[in-house]
Amino acid sequence: MPLPPPPANLFAQIQSRGEGGPSGLKPRPKPTPSQNESAPKPPLPSVPAGEVFHYEESLNSFLFNFDQSVTRATPPSADGTVISIPLAQLVYRMTDYTYAKKEPVELERCLLKLGVLRCLERECEILNGWFKSRVKSKTSVEEEELGQTRFMELLSGCGVYQKVSELILEE
């Protein structure tokens, strides 16, 4: 069943509503310059040198160090680490923040997402154990196998999967 045609004076009715006409709607008042001006925000505290993150009590939030590269291969450290993945991008994504804004991550949000963050740590440990067993048995890591691990699925959701998988497969 087709819709009936609009009334002939529809445009005039819409215009009259915008001018405080019969519907009682009034146009929004234009903001004055004093309403538009906002006080400059004080700069956020910074993360101490050498730290990956810092809890700032005055903000009740975590601050992250953004100076680190996204993902990198490094010379093996004392504990055998070869590939380092920064924490900030993963935590931002998993706590539903936008990494590009680089806002402090509220403690409350971390607590609400604690299960997801614990999963990240646990799956990282499982993946590292899997790698160590592969190195000991001298078998190679296949890309398809790597993509099926839960930690790599978590990285995929955080937008760093491609770079990490390339670095792992190179090693």
Side-chain angles (χ1 to χ4, degrees):
M1 181 169 174
L3 294 173
N9 62 351
L10 179 64
F11 186 67
Q13 289 176 9
I14 293 172
Q15 281 184 327
S16 71
R17 286 183 184 168
E19 297 168 356
S23 70
L25 295 177
K26 295 184 175 149
R28 288 185 182 172
K30 294 185 180 180
T32 61
S34 63
Q35 290 175 343
N36 281 340
E37 295 175 15
S38 60
K41 295 180 182 177
L44 289 174
S46 62
V47 178
E51 299 274 333
V52 176
F53 66 94
H54 170 72
Y55 179 70
E56 180 59 43
E57 289 184 30
S58 64
L59 299 172
N60 203 25
S61 300
F62 288 95
L63 304 172
F64 287 88
N65 183 353
F66 297 102
D67 294 337
Q68 300 174 2
S69 63
V70 174
T71 306
R72 60 194 181 277
T74 60
S77 63
D79 66 352
T81 302
V82 176
I83 297 172
S84 174
I85 302 168
L87 183 65
Q89 266 184 293
L90 304 178
V91 171
Y92 264 75
R93 180 71 173 171
M94 292 185 168
T95 53
D96 301 326
Y97 277 87
T98 304
Y99 180 74
K101 291 182 181 178
K102 299 181 178 170
E103 308 167 289
V105 177
E106 294 175 2
L107 176 63
E108 183 179 340
R109 186 80 64 96
C110 288
L111 292 174
L112 291 173
K113 298 291 186 167
L114 193 57
V116 176
L117 296 172
R118 283 183 178 161
C119 176
L120 176 69
E121 179 186 20
R122 187 174 136 260
E123 293 302 326
C124 181
E125 290 171 6
I126 290 171
L127 183 68
N128 284 332
W130 182 69
F131 285 138
K132 287 175 185 174
S133 69
R134 287 300 179 103
V135 169
K136 285 180 184 176
S137 65
K138 297 184 181 179
T139 56
S140 65
V141 174
E142 300 296 326
E143 187 171 3
E144 186 176 318
E145 269 183 306
L146 183 61
Q148 292 175 355
T149 62
R150 288 199 59 208
F151 182 74
M152 294 305 284
E153 289 176 12
L154 292 170
L155 292 184
S156 177
C158 297
V160 294
Y161 173 83
Q162 187 65 39
K163 182 68 176 171
V164 172
S165 65
E166 288 172 5
L167 290 169
I168 288 172
L169 293 173
E170 285 175 12
E171 294 297 321

Tab-separated table of all heavy atoms in Angstrom, residues 66-119:
chain	number	residue	atom	x	y	z
A	66	PHE	N	54.094	6.095	25.863
A	66	PHE	CA	53.804	5.927	24.440
A	66	PHE	C	55.041	6.062	23.574
A	66	PHE	O	54.953	6.017	22.356
A	66	PHE	CB	52.753	6.947	23.995
A	66	PHE	CG	51.448	6.758	24.689
A	66	PHE	CD1	51.076	7.578	25.740
A	66	PHE	CD2	50.599	5.743	24.314
A	66	PHE	CE1	49.884	7.394	26.401
A	66	PHE	CE2	49.390	5.554	24.962
A	66	PHE	CZ	49.032	6.385	26.003
A	67	ASP	N	56.205	6.231	24.171
A	67	ASP	CA	57.426	6.428	23.402
A	67	ASP	C	57.991	5.137	22.838
A	67	ASP	O	58.889	5.159	22.022
A	67	ASP	CB	58.495	7.103	24.266
A	67	ASP	CG	58.082	8.512	24.652
A	67	ASP	OD1	57.249	9.100	23.938
A	67	ASP	OD2	58.581	9.007	25.678
A	68	GLN	N	57.474	3.997	23.266
A	68	GLN	CA	58.013	2.721	22.812
A	68	GLN	C	57.491	2.408	21.418
A	68	GLN	O	56.392	2.780	21.047
A	68	GLN	CB	57.617	1.614	23.769
A	68	GLN	CG	58.126	1.872	25.164
A	68	GLN	CD	57.598	0.843	26.150
A	68	GLN	OE1	56.887	-0.061	25.775
A	68	GLN	NE2	57.969	1.003	27.390
A	69	SER	N	58.309	1.687	20.648
A	69	SER	CA	57.856	1.297	19.312
A	69	SER	C	56.740	0.272	19.448
A	69	SER	O	56.585	-0.363	20.476
A	69	SER	CB	59.018	0.713	18.508
A	69	SER	OG	59.491	-0.457	19.133
A	70	VAL	N	55.960	0.118	18.389
A	70	VAL	CA	54.781	-0.740	18.435
A	70	VAL	C	55.151	-2.186	18.744
A	70	VAL	O	54.660	-2.773	19.683
A	70	VAL	CB	54.003	-0.650	17.107
A	70	VAL	CG1	52.870	-1.636	17.082
A	70	VAL	CG2	53.496	0.753	16.915
A	71	THR	N	55.995	-2.767	18.007
A	71	THR	CA	56.416	-4.146	18.213
A	71	THR	C	57.812	-4.256	17.639
A	71	THR	O	58.080	-3.733	16.577
A	71	THR	CB	55.485	-5.112	17.459
A	71	THR	OG1	54.157	-4.845	17.865
A	71	THR	CG2	55.811	-6.542	17.744
A	72	ARG	N	58.683	-4.956	18.326
A	72	ARG	CA	60.043	-5.010	17.823
A	72	ARG	C	60.698	-6.339	18.178
A	72	ARG	O	60.366	-6.968	19.172
A	72	ARG	CB	60.849	-3.856	18.396
A	72	ARG	CG	60.931	-3.876	19.908
A	72	ARG	CD	61.440	-2.547	20.446
A	72	ARG	NE	61.540	-2.563	21.879
A	72	ARG	CZ	60.550	-2.343	22.712
A	72	ARG	NH1	59.356	-2.109	22.235
A	72	ARG	NH2	60.728	-2.367	24.004
A	73	ALA	N	61.638	-6.722	17.363
A	73	ALA	CA	62.483	-7.861	17.681
A	73	ALA	C	63.685	-7.303	18.417
A	73	ALA	O	64.200	-6.243	18.074
A	73	ALA	CB	62.918	-8.565	16.408
A	74	THR	N	64.089	-7.961	19.475
A	74	THR	CA	65.198	-7.470	20.283
A	74	THR	C	66.213	-8.590	20.456
A	74	THR	O	65.889	-9.765	20.289
A	74	THR	CB	64.707	-7.032	21.675
A	74	THR	OG1	64.110	-8.166	22.312
A	74	THR	CG2	63.697	-5.926	21.585
A	75	PRO	N	67.454	-8.249	20.807
A	75	PRO	CA	68.398	-9.312	21.144
A	75	PRO	C	67.852	-10.065	22.349
A	75	PRO	O	67.231	-9.461	23.219
A	75	PRO	CB	69.682	-8.564	21.504
A	75	PRO	CG	69.510	-7.187	20.993
A	75	PRO	CD	68.042	-6.929	20.883
A	76	PRO	N	68.033	-11.381	22.411
A	76	PRO	CA	67.479	-12.132	23.538
A	76	PRO	C	67.969	-11.565	24.876
A	76	PRO	O	69.139	-11.269	25.047
A	76	PRO	CB	68.012	-13.548	23.333
A	76	PRO	CG	68.327	-13.620	21.882
A	76	PRO	CD	68.729	-12.231	21.464
A	77	SER	N	67.031	-11.377	25.785
A	77	SER	CA	67.376	-10.862	27.114
A	77	SER	C	67.751	-12.029	28.021
A	77	SER	O	67.769	-13.181	27.590
A	77	SER	CB	66.190	-10.089	27.688
A	77	SER	OG	65.100	-10.968	27.861
A	78	ALA	N	68.017	-11.732	29.273
A	78	ALA	CA	68.420	-12.762	30.236
A	78	ALA	C	67.359	-13.852	30.379
A	78	ALA	O	67.677	-15.014	30.555
A	78	ALA	CB	68.700	-12.124	31.590
A	79	ASP	N	66.082	-13.461	30.245
A	79	ASP	CA	65.030	-14.463	30.374
A	79	ASP	C	64.659	-15.105	29.037
A	79	ASP	O	63.722	-15.887	28.956
A	79	ASP	CB	63.793	-13.865	31.038
A	79	ASP	CG	63.120	-12.789	30.195
A	79	ASP	OD1	63.687	-12.380	29.161
A	79	ASP	OD2	62.019	-12.359	30.575
A	80	GLY	N	65.378	-14.762	27.972
A	80	GLY	CA	65.153	-15.382	26.670
A	80	GLY	C	64.162	-14.647	25.782
A	80	GLY	O	63.801	-15.137	24.723
A	81	THR	N	63.712	-13.456	26.185
A	81	THR	CA	62.750	-12.715	25.382
A	81	THR	C	63.397	-12.251	24.079
A	81	THR	O	64.466	-11.674	24.081
A	81	THR	CB	62.236	-11.485	26.155
A	81	THR	OG1	61.641	-11.922	27.366
A	81	THR	CG2	61.239	-10.695	25.347
A	82	VAL	N	62.711	-12.512	22.974
A	82	VAL	CA	63.217	-12.110	21.669
A	82	VAL	C	62.308	-11.050	21.056
A	82	VAL	O	62.771	-10.129	20.418
A	82	VAL	CB	63.327	-13.323	20.721
A	82	VAL	CG1	63.767	-12.903	19.342
A	82	VAL	CG2	64.270	-14.352	21.301
A	83	ILE	N	60.994	-11.179	21.272
A	83	ILE	CA	60.036	-10.236	20.705
A	83	ILE	C	59.314	-9.549	21.855
A	83	ILE	O	58.818	-10.197	22.763
A	83	ILE	CB	59.032	-10.947	19.786
A	83	ILE	CG1	59.780	-11.550	18.600
A	83	ILE	CG2	57.955	-9.988	19.309
A	83	ILE	CD1	58.944	-12.424	17.733
A	84	SER	N	59.286	-8.236	21.806
A	84	SER	CA	58.655	-7.448	22.854
A	84	SER	C	57.408	-6.788	22.295
A	84	SER	O	57.468	-6.137	21.259
A	84	SER	CB	59.651	-6.400	23.343
A	84	SER	OG	59.043	-5.549	24.244
A	85	ILE	N	56.288	-6.960	22.979
A	85	ILE	CA	55.027	-6.343	22.567
A	85	ILE	C	54.636	-5.353	23.645
A	85	ILE	O	54.482	-5.731	24.800
A	85	ILE	CB	53.916	-7.399	22.401
A	85	ILE	CG1	54.345	-8.436	21.380
A	85	ILE	CG2	52.608	-6.753	21.999
A	85	ILE	CD1	53.477	-9.651	21.340
A	86	PRO	N	54.502	-4.063	23.326
A	86	PRO	CA	54.174	-3.094	24.367
A	86	PRO	C	52.784	-3.319	24.942
A	86	PRO	O	51.866	-3.735	24.258
A	86	PRO	CB	54.270	-1.746	23.657
A	86	PRO	CG	54.138	-2.058	22.232
A	86	PRO	CD	54.632	-3.450	22.026
A	87	LEU	N	52.669	-3.026	26.196
A	87	LEU	CA	51.450	-3.256	26.935
A	87	LEU	C	50.352	-2.244	26.600
A	87	LEU	O	49.176	-2.597	26.567
A	87	LEU	CB	51.800	-3.167	28.427
A	87	LEU	CG	50.733	-3.426	29.451
A	87	LEU	CD1	50.278	-4.872	29.376
A	87	LEU	CD2	51.274	-3.119	30.837
A	88	ALA	N	50.719	-1.011	26.341
A	88	ALA	CA	49.729	0.066	26.211
A	88	ALA	C	48.663	-0.219	25.167
A	88	ALA	O	47.472	-0.088	25.439
A	88	ALA	CB	50.419	1.390	25.908
A	89	GLN	N	49.055	-0.603	23.964
A	89	GLN	CA	48.069	-0.835	22.909
A	89	GLN	C	47.089	-1.927	23.287
A	89	GLN	O	45.896	-1.812	23.030
A	89	GLN	CB	48.755	-1.239	21.609
A	89	GLN	CG	49.014	-0.084	20.700
A	89	GLN	CD	49.605	-0.547	19.400
A	89	GLN	OE1	50.718	-1.022	19.368
A	89	GLN	NE2	48.875	-0.412	18.341
A	90	LEU	N	47.583	-2.989	23.886
A	90	LEU	CA	46.721	-4.106	24.242
A	90	LEU	C	45.752	-3.728	25.352
A	90	LEU	O	44.561	-4.028	25.271
A	90	LEU	CB	47.574	-5.307	24.675
A	90	LEU	CG	48.610	-5.788	23.662
A	90	LEU	CD1	49.402	-6.937	24.234
A	90	LEU	CD2	47.964	-6.192	22.354
A	91	VAL	N	46.243	-3.061	26.377
A	91	VAL	CA	45.377	-2.681	27.493
A	91	VAL	C	44.328	-1.680	27.025
A	91	VAL	O	43.155	-1.787	27.387
A	91	VAL	CB	46.205	-2.121	28.667
A	91	VAL	CG1	45.306	-1.526	29.732
A	91	VAL	CG2	47.061	-3.225	29.261
A	92	TYR	N	44.725	-0.719	26.212
A	92	TYR	CA	43.757	0.255	25.701
A	92	TYR	C	42.631	-0.441	24.962
A	92	TYR	O	41.453	-0.170	25.180
A	92	TYR	CB	44.445	1.251	24.757
A	92	TYR	CG	44.849	2.518	25.438
A	92	TYR	CD1	45.951	2.555	26.282
A	92	TYR	CD2	44.117	3.678	25.269
A	92	TYR	CE1	46.316	3.713	26.919
A	92	TYR	CE2	44.484	4.852	25.906
A	92	TYR	CZ	45.584	4.855	26.733
A	92	TYR	OH	45.931	6.014	27.373
A	93	ARG	N	42.980	-1.342	24.068
A	93	ARG	CA	41.982	-2.026	23.266
A	93	ARG	C	41.075	-2.900	24.133
A	93	ARG	O	39.865	-2.924	23.957
A	93	ARG	CB	42.696	-2.867	22.201
A	93	ARG	CG	41.806	-3.627	21.314
A	93	ARG	CD	41.084	-2.716	20.380
A	93	ARG	NE	40.363	-3.538	19.436
A	93	ARG	CZ	39.512	-3.096	18.588
A	93	ARG	NH1	39.294	-1.804	18.522
A	93	ARG	NH2	38.881	-3.876	17.780
A	94	MET	N	41.678	-3.609	25.076
A	94	MET	CA	40.901	-4.543	25.893
A	94	MET	C	40.065	-3.859	26.962
A	94	MET	O	39.169	-4.468	27.523
A	94	MET	CB	41.822	-5.578	26.503
A	94	MET	CG	42.392	-6.474	25.445
A	94	MET	SD	43.357	-7.761	26.163
A	94	MET	CE	43.546	-8.796	24.732
A	95	THR	N	40.346	-2.610	27.260
A	95	THR	CA	39.524	-1.860	28.219
A	95	THR	C	38.607	-0.874	27.485
A	95	THR	O	38.047	0.032	28.093
A	95	THR	CB	40.393	-1.111	29.240
A	95	THR	OG1	41.351	-0.322	28.551
A	95	THR	CG2	41.076	-2.065	30.187
A	96	ASP	N	38.452	-1.059	26.191
A	96	ASP	CA	37.532	-0.283	25.353
A	96	ASP	C	37.874	1.201	25.280
A	96	ASP	O	37.003	2.056	25.233
A	96	ASP	CB	36.082	-0.459	25.823
A	96	ASP	CG	35.630	-1.903	25.785
A	96	ASP	OD1	36.087	-2.628	24.883
A	96	ASP	OD2	34.853	-2.315	26.658
A	97	TYR	N	39.159	1.512	25.293
A	97	TYR	CA	39.624	2.882	25.082
A	97	TYR	C	40.187	2.981	23.664
A	97	TYR	O	40.531	1.976	23.056
A	97	TYR	CB	40.746	3.243	26.064
A	97	TYR	CG	40.267	3.684	27.416
A	97	TYR	CD1	40.007	2.761	28.409
A	97	TYR	CD2	40.093	5.028	27.703
A	97	TYR	CE1	39.580	3.163	29.668
A	97	TYR	CE2	39.673	5.440	28.956
A	97	TYR	CZ	39.414	4.498	29.928
A	97	TYR	OH	38.994	4.906	31.160
A	98	THR	N	40.313	4.192	23.164
A	98	THR	CA	40.918	4.426	21.862
A	98	THR	C	42.378	4.786	22.070
A	98	THR	O	42.690	5.775	22.725
A	98	THR	CB	40.195	5.577	21.127
A	98	THR	OG1	38.816	5.241	21.049
A	98	THR	CG2	40.770	5.797	19.748
A	99	TYR	N	43.268	3.986	21.514
A	99	TYR	CA	44.705	4.174	21.711
A	99	TYR	C	45.164	5.533	21.200
A	99	TYR	O	46.005	6.187	21.817
A	99	TYR	CB	45.466	3.055	21.002
A	99	TYR	CG	46.960	3.143	21.142
A	99	TYR	CD1	47.577	2.831	22.338
A	99	TYR	CD2	47.760	3.549	20.085
A	99	TYR	CE1	48.950	2.911	22.484
A	99	TYR	CE2	49.128	3.630	20.210
A	99	TYR	CZ	49.718	3.310	21.419
A	99	TYR	OH	51.068	3.397	21.556
A	100	ALA	N	44.607	5.985	20.092
A	100	ALA	CA	45.056	7.237	19.483
A	100	ALA	C	44.820	8.439	20.407
A	100	ALA	O	45.557	9.421	20.350
A	100	ALA	CB	44.343	7.457	18.157
A	101	LYS	N	43.817	8.373	21.278
A	101	LYS	CA	43.541	9.494	22.181
A	101	LYS	C	44.540	9.563	23.329
A	101	LYS	O	44.716	10.612	23.935
A	101	LYS	CB	42.125	9.375	22.742
A	101	LYS	CG	41.051	9.608	21.707
A	101	LYS	CD	39.696	9.533	22.342
A	101	LYS	CE	38.595	9.738	21.328
A	101	LYS	NZ	37.273	9.610	21.930
A	102	LYS	N	45.141	8.437	23.671
A	102	LYS	CA	46.165	8.356	24.723
A	102	LYS	C	45.685	8.932	26.052
A	102	LYS	O	46.406	9.636	26.744
A	102	LYS	CB	47.453	9.013	24.247
A	102	LYS	CG	47.990	8.304	23.029
A	102	LYS	CD	49.262	8.874	22.530
A	102	LYS	CE	49.703	8.035	21.330
A	102	LYS	NZ	50.771	8.550	20.601
A	103	GLU	N	44.446	8.622	26.394
A	103	GLU	CA	43.872	9.051	27.660
A	103	GLU	C	44.357	8.146	28.789
A	103	GLU	O	44.712	7.001	28.542
A	103	GLU	CB	42.348	8.924	27.624
A	103	GLU	CG	41.665	9.576	26.467
A	103	GLU	CD	40.224	9.146	26.355
A	103	GLU	OE1	39.960	7.997	25.999
A	103	GLU	OE2	39.363	9.989	26.644
A	104	PRO	N	44.309	8.626	30.027
A	104	PRO	CA	44.592	7.732	31.145
A	104	PRO	C	43.504	6.651	31.221
A	104	PRO	O	42.340	6.927	30.974
A	104	PRO	CB	44.519	8.641	32.375
A	104	PRO	CG	44.661	10.021	31.850
A	104	PRO	CD	44.126	10.011	30.453
A	105	VAL	N	43.881	5.430	31.546
A	105	VAL	CA	42.933	4.324	31.653
A	105	VAL	C	42.475	4.250	33.108
A	105	VAL	O	43.272	4.024	34.009
A	105	VAL	CB	43.575	2.991	31.217
A	105	VAL	CG1	42.619	1.838	31.407
A	105	VAL	CG2	44.021	3.081	29.766
A	106	GLU	N	41.184	4.453	33.324
A	106	GLU	CA	40.643	4.502	34.677
A	106	GLU	C	40.761	3.150	35.371
A	106	GLU	O	40.552	2.101	34.758
A	106	GLU	CB	39.178	4.926	34.644
A	106	GLU	CG	38.973	6.339	34.166
A	106	GLU	CD	37.509	6.698	34.024
A	106	GLU	OE1	36.638	5.851	34.330
A	106	GLU	OE2	37.232	7.818	33.594
A	107	LEU	N	41.065	3.194	36.648
A	107	LEU	CA	41.183	1.988	37.452
A	107	LEU	C	39.886	1.187	37.421
A	107	LEU	O	39.904	-0.040	37.287
A	107	LEU	CB	41.543	2.352	38.898
A	107	LEU	CG	41.616	1.193	39.884
A	107	LEU	CD1	42.719	0.220	39.481
A	107	LEU	CD2	41.845	1.711	41.288
A	108	GLU	N	38.756	1.871	37.504
A	108	GLU	CA	37.458	1.186	37.492
A	108	GLU	C	37.279	0.368	36.214
A	108	GLU	O	36.803	-0.757	36.245
A	108	GLU	CB	36.334	2.214	37.627
A	108	GLU	CG	34.961	1.587	37.690
A	108	GLU	CD	33.863	2.636	37.845
A	108	GLU	OE1	34.156	3.767	38.262
A	108	GLU	OE2	32.722	2.294	37.534
A	109	ARG	N	37.692	0.923	35.075
A	109	ARG	CA	37.559	0.214	33.804
A	109	ARG	C	38.459	-1.017	33.790
A	109	ARG	O	38.082	-2.060	33.289
A	109	ARG	CB	37.906	1.152	32.652
A	109	ARG	CG	37.679	0.610	31.279
A	109	ARG	CD	36.234	0.667	30.812
A	109	ARG	NE	35.727	1.994	30.687
A	109	ARG	CZ	35.684	2.688	29.568
A	109	ARG	NH1	36.143	2.179	28.460
A	109	ARG	NH2	35.184	3.889	29.552
A	110	CYS	N	39.665	-0.887	34.350
A	110	CYS	CA	40.575	-2.040	34.434
A	110	CYS	C	39.972	-3.140	35.295
A	110	CYS	O	40.080	-4.328	34.965
A	110	CYS	CB	41.929	-1.629	34.995
A	110	CYS	SG	42.909	-0.645	33.851
A	111	LEU	N	39.340	-2.739	36.406
A	111	LEU	CA	38.728	-3.734	37.282
A	111	LEU	C	37.565	-4.434	36.591
A	111	LEU	O	37.372	-5.644	36.743
A	111	LEU	CB	38.263	-3.092	38.591
A	111	LEU	CG	39.378	-2.602	39.507
A	111	LEU	CD1	38.803	-1.861	40.702
A	111	LEU	CD2	40.263	-3.752	39.954
A	112	LEU	N	36.780	-3.677	35.822
A	112	LEU	CA	35.671	-4.289	35.090
A	112	LEU	C	36.174	-5.267	34.032
A	112	LEU	O	35.520	-6.258	33.735
A	112	LEU	CB	34.813	-3.209	34.422
A	112	LEU	CG	34.001	-2.332	35.365
A	112	LEU	CD1	33.345	-1.196	34.592
A	112	LEU	CD2	32.960	-3.148	36.105
A	113	LYS	N	37.336	-4.995	33.479
A	113	LYS	CA	37.904	-5.832	32.423
A	113	LYS	C	39.011	-6.742	32.937
A	113	LYS	O	39.809	-7.253	32.166
A	113	LYS	CB	38.461	-4.945	31.299
A	113	LYS	CG	37.419	-4.103	30.613
A	113	LYS	CD	36.491	-4.978	29.823
A	113	LYS	CE	35.523	-4.129	29.023
A	113	LYS	NZ	34.829	-4.896	28.026
A	114	LEU	N	39.077	-6.944	34.252
A	114	LEU	CA	40.153	-7.718	34.853
A	114	LEU	C	40.235	-9.130	34.286
A	114	LEU	O	41.323	-9.652	34.041
A	114	LEU	CB	39.979	-7.760	36.372
A	114	LEU	CG	41.153	-8.266	37.172
A	114	LEU	CD1	42.398	-7.431	36.889
A	114	LEU	CD2	40.835	-8.236	38.656
A	115	GLY	N	39.108	-9.755	34.030
A	115	GLY	CA	39.113	-11.105	33.467
A	115	GLY	C	39.792	-11.139	32.111
A	115	GLY	O	40.573	-12.046	31.810
A	116	VAL	N	39.529	-10.154	31.286
A	116	VAL	CA	40.131	-10.099	29.954
A	116	VAL	C	41.638	-9.856	30.075
A	116	VAL	O	42.438	-10.466	29.369
A	116	VAL	CB	39.477	-8.983	29.105
A	116	VAL	CG1	40.146	-8.834	27.762
A	116	VAL	CG2	38.002	-9.258	28.929
A	117	LEU	N	42.033	-8.977	30.992
A	117	LEU	CA	43.451	-8.681	31.162
A	117	LEU	C	44.197	-9.893	31.731
A	117	LEU	O	45.330	-10.175	31.334
A	117	LEU	CB	43.633	-7.455	32.062
A	117	LEU	CG	43.063	-6.157	31.490
A	117	LEU	CD1	43.118	-5.042	32.517
A	117	LEU	CD2	43.773	-5.753	30.226
A	118	ARG	N	43.565	-10.628	32.635
A	118	ARG	CA	44.179	-11.855	33.149
A	118	ARG	C	44.302	-12.895	32.042
A	118	ARG	O	45.279	-13.630	31.977
A	118	ARG	CB	43.362	-12.411	34.304
A	118	ARG	CG	43.559	-11.666	35.584
A	118	ARG	CD	42.793	-12.311	36.702
A	118	ARG	NE	43.032	-11.609	37.953
A	118	ARG	CZ	42.257	-11.706	39.010
A	118	ARG	NH1	41.190	-12.478	38.976
A	118	ARG	NH2	42.556	-11.053	40.102
A	119	CYS	N	43.313	-12.958	31.187
A	119	CYS	CA	43.358	-13.880	30.049
A	119	CYS	C	44.546	-13.551	29.158
A	119	CYS	O	45.243	-14.441	28.690
A	119	CYS	CB	42.055	-13.787	29.263
A	119	CYS	SG	42.001	-14.783	27.777
